[in-house]
Amino acid sequence: MDRDAILFANEAFYRAFADRDPAAMEDLWAKDAPVVCIHPGWAPLTDRDTIVASWRAILTGRNAPDIKCRNPRVFQHGDTAIVICFEMIGAGFLVATNCFVRQRGRWKMVHHQAGPTSQDPPADSDNDNEPGGPVN
């Protein structure tokens, strides 16, 4: 189980977002696998160069949101992992799906989608560490 490495990759995604670092964001995205990104309210982006350009525009724009990841849960199957989490933006939340594949020993993002949710995340806890928890 690579839970810590997957969570590290997920945290690196949100760190690049918080630091407004387009180069770090570009490095997170897989180069040798199909990629998809669906920003809230946008049409799906399916070309790596277009995805990287979208992040560059978001991260260098005047209105780049302040975002924090809450309650990440890992689901792993071999060299593929899904992280479901909540994105806290101001006082509101989005729910996000971040998918990763292992490439040359590193977890790389192949999919990000965030959208509205009708509920707030549960209080932060360490329940994800319990045996039989959300790690599959």
Side-chain angles (χ1 to χ4, degrees):
M1 168 43 90
D2 296 308
R3 182 180 184 279
D4 289 343
I6 296 162
L7 286 173
F8 181 82
N10 193 68
E11 179 60 28
F13 171 75
Y14 289 102
R15 174 58 42 210
F17 206 130
D19 291 347
R20 312 288 191 259
D21 188 341
M25 181 64 75
E26 179 176 359
D27 184 55
L28 294 167
W29 283 85
K31 294 179 181 157
D32 302 328
V35 292
V36 177
C37 183
I38 306 174
H39 298 293
W42 292 36
L45 305 176
T46 59
D47 173 77
R48 186 179 191 281
D49 291 339
T50 303
I51 291 168
V52 168
S54 74
W55 283 111
R56 184 170 306 284
I58 290 167
L59 298 177
T60 60
R62 286 184 164 182
N63 298 322
D66 183 25
I67 190 166
K68 293 182 175 91
C69 175
R70 300 277 305 272
N71 299 93
R73 296 178 62 199
V74 174
F75 302 86
Q76 181 183 358
H77 181 74
D79 289 338
T80 303
I82 300 167
V83 177
I84 304 295
C85 60
F86 290 87
E87 296 178 347
M88 187 170 83
I89 302 175
F93 292 95
L94 299 174
V95 64
T97 303
N98 298 319
C99 300
F100 300 88
V101 296
R102 188 178 2 233
Q103 292 185 329
R104 294 184 282 281
R106 294 182 61 205
W107 289 97
K108 294 294 189 170
M109 185 169 271
V110 292
H111 174 81
H112 168 76
Q113 181 173 359
T117 180
S118 61
Q119 67 182 43
D120 290 345
D124 283 329
S125 71
D126 290 330
N127 292 340
D128 290 0
N129 294 323
E130 294 176 9
V135 177
N136 295 328

